[in-house]
Amino acid sequence: MLNNVGRPTRPGEVSDSVDASETFTGNKALNLETPLTFEQGVKGRIGVDLPKAKEGASRLGGLDRKEGTGLPDMSEPQVLRHYVRLSRQNYSIDAGFYPLGSCTMKHNPRINEKAARVVGLGDIHPLQPISSVQGALALIDDLAHWLKTITGMPAVAMSPAAGAHGELCGVMAIKAAHEAKGEQRTRILVPESAHGTNPATAALCGYKVDPVPAREDGRMDMEAFKAKLGPDVAGVMLTNPNTCGLFENDVKEIADLVHEAGGYFYCDGANLNAILGRTRPGDLGVDAMHINLHKTFSTPHGGGGPGSGPVVLSEALAPYAPVPYVVKKDGEYSLQEHASGEADASFGRMKAFHGQMGMFIRALAYMISHGSDGLRQIAEDAVLNANYVRASLNDVLHSPFDGICMHEALFDDSTLKDTGVTTLDLAKAMIDEGYHPMTMYFPLVVHGAMLIEPTESESKETLDMFIGSMRHLVEKAKSTNDPDVFSQAPLYAPRRRLDETGAARKPILRWQPEEAS
Ligand SMILES: *Cc1c(COP(=O)(O)O)cnc(C)c1O
């Protein structure tokens, strides 16, 4: 038997004729509701029975709390259920496919987690004597070695704590290099399709951001780029593969031209997933590039962290790298903590300690468990999977750029024209299909963009099911004369469509009891 989607009905599947929308509890079987903790709290209820604090002189110098905290009084099982219920309403890479790709999350092999918890790595402290953390320093040194090998670059700064922090490191090195030459350069060129962190970084470092338009084929417009080069240009920040999922074919010429103009080439390497083991940034003339360990080399991340963004540097920028860095002498590891000597022109320190140790361990575990052949296959499979999605949907969705893509398949919303259904509606309908929606409305250079990055770790079966869902929704959008079917999606999620603008503009950050409001 086929259900209305054309998928075989599974044993025990409830038929569409039963209205299951109303229950007394508001729960829908395994989908369990939970009120705010403030609504659940009952005065005097306790979770932990602590002995009364001893009377004695306060050591808080008069800053003692005069009233209660205002937090609800709850029992332990109440708290536990509340958070477990919330967690079950959430989506995760362990529960399903994330078409947002490595940028947000790809599969995190469990062996990495095991390695990160090994006694002696998981419980060390950055203020321990150096002699007692030789193994940890050796690990940082090993990882640095492999990052330099993979990228073909002579130096790497390990301390930046995320991709954007790595950009800051790279552009600060560029600034320091110009200052050392006594040059005052004020402009940084950034393609229009760049990730928002690129112009933000350049601006934070005091540069004027000069946007370079894209060509018809989605790459940076070389004529516009040449016209903008000049003695006041400090450098260019280019993402390769770019945010349209395309390889910038002119990358070597871009490097040569910016060097001729006396500037430096910053490459946003967050998309390393697509070229790992296939192309070395060092061979492309890159001067600085951050590598998002949490993306390419996998670490569970989200909601702002944790991340790690080591920056590989060219010969020209290496002297300006931040401290500290690991040095090995006579078989002993130590940390170079201060810029010293004439050759060392370090711009300073980016972080209190030596970097994101937990992520270093996971990244190295990921590298070692894959081996060099496996790392290369990551890029090949990531690109193959993206092209499989692109080619499989090409008859129902329009790709703005011809030809094969790298690790991301990009579509515009031209097929939805005159249907009354928008990219946002389609994304919300994907939630009903059990997927986290793809990246939408980015890159900005493509109208109603839908950017799908499957990554290397998804199987053909998973991709086929996803492609089937997309095809089903697009065909439904084109054939329906009632776009409201879409504008109301998601229908089956724990919450219906939220007022996102209202949530951003008028956030309710303080709970008010009903009687007070
Ligand atoms: C993720 C990403 C960044 C920023 O990295 P964070 O670790 O989130 O700070 C920069 N550029 C691109 C292209 C990215 O995908």
Side-chain angles (χ1 to χ4, degrees), residues 19 72 124 187 217 220 245 257 314 417 423 496 500 515:
D19 179 9
I124 52 174
R187 258 189 314 142
D217 68 354
M220 187 167 78
L257 286 168
S314 65
K417 202 165 176 279
T423 292
R496 300 293 299 279
E500 287 164 9
E515 41 297 6

Side-chain angles (χ1 to χ4, degrees), residues 3-319:
N3 70 1
N4 58 358
V5 185
R7 171 176 60 70
T9 312
R10 296 178 181 121
E13 193 164 53
V14 181
S15 97
D16 286 343
S17 62
V18 181
D19 179 9
S21 59
E22 290 276 325
T23 57
F24 177 73
T25 51
N27 299 333
K28 298 194 179 84
L30 297 178
N31 183 355
L32 298 166
E33 286 295 333
T34 184
L36 297 177
T37 51
F38 293 99
E39 294 167 301
Q40 292 185 53
V42 176
K43 195 132 191 60
R45 187 168 286 173
I46 50 168
V48 192
D49 193 5
L50 294 174
K52 224 177 155 44
K54 281 204 193 89
E55 293 286 337
S58 164
R59 284 187 243 159
L60 295 172
L63 293 173
D64 316 47
R65 191 183 283 283
K66 305 281 181 308
E67 293 151 25
T69 57
L71 290 172
D73 296 355
M74 295 172 80
S75 69
E76 184 170 296
Q78 261 187 313
V79 174
L80 212 55
R81 282 201 183 136
H82 178 69
Y83 288 105
V84 168
R85 286 177 176 212
L86 282 184
S87 74
R88 286 170 37 147
Q89 295 188 354
N90 212 346
Y91 196 79
S92 67
I93 185 67
D94 292 340
F97 171 49
Y98 251 72
L100 293 170
S102 68
C103 195
T104 301
M105 200 66 78
K106 66 179 183 182
H107 173 64
N108 297 291
R110 292 307 187 263
I111 184 84
N112 302 355
E113 298 308 309
K114 202 159 171 152
R117 285 165 178 75
V118 164
V119 178
L121 283 177
D123 54 5
I124 52 174
H125 192 279
L127 292 178
Q128 259 176 253
I130 292 293
S131 62
S132 69
V133 289
Q134 287 291 305
L137 297 182
L139 187 147
I140 298 176
D141 199 45
D142 256 10
L143 178 62
H145 167 76
W146 290 118
L147 292 176
K148 288 185 283 185
T149 306
I150 284 168
T151 55
M153 300 283 281
V156 61
M158 297 297 287
S159 62
H165 204 209
E167 289 175 36
L168 186 65
C169 170
V171 175
M172 283 170 79
I174 289 173
K175 193 167 187 161
H178 285 307
E179 279 169 5
K181 286 189 268 183
E183 288 189 7
Q184 279 294 334
R185 292 180 176 241
T186 52
R187 258 189 314 142
I188 287 204
L189 307 182
V190 184
E192 271 175 357
S193 65
H195 193 270
T197 50
N198 294 186
T201 299
L204 198 67
C205 291
Y207 288 108
K208 189 172 169 295
V209 178
D210 195 353
V212 188
R215 270 192 322 239
E216 281 282 289
D217 68 354
R219 276 87 177 176
M220 187 167 78
D221 185 330
M222 290 300 286
E223 293 316 309
F225 172 63
K226 284 179 203 163
K228 282 175 184 285
L229 282 170
D232 62 333
V233 168
V236 60
M237 293 183 87
L238 185 84
T239 306
N240 199 19
N242 69 22
T243 49
C244 296
L246 301 169
F247 195 82
E248 293 278 357
N249 303 324
D250 298 315
V251 59
K252 286 201 76 167
E253 198 189 344
I254 292 168
D256 290 344
L257 286 168
V258 76
H259 288 153
E260 263 166 48
Y264 294 99
F265 178 13
Y266 188 93
C267 185
D268 182 329
N271 295 338
L272 186 64
N273 221 51
I275 57 169
L276 196 59
R278 298 282 312 201
T279 305
R280 299 191 310 167
D283 300 331
L284 303 177
V286 169
D287 289 302
M289 184 180 96
H290 69 267
I291 301 166
N292 287 30
L293 296 186
H294 48 295
K295 294 180 182 175
T296 308
F297 299 103
S298 87
T299 279
H301 66 279
S308 180
V311 180
V312 286
L313 297 164
S314 65
E315 223 51 270
L317 293 184

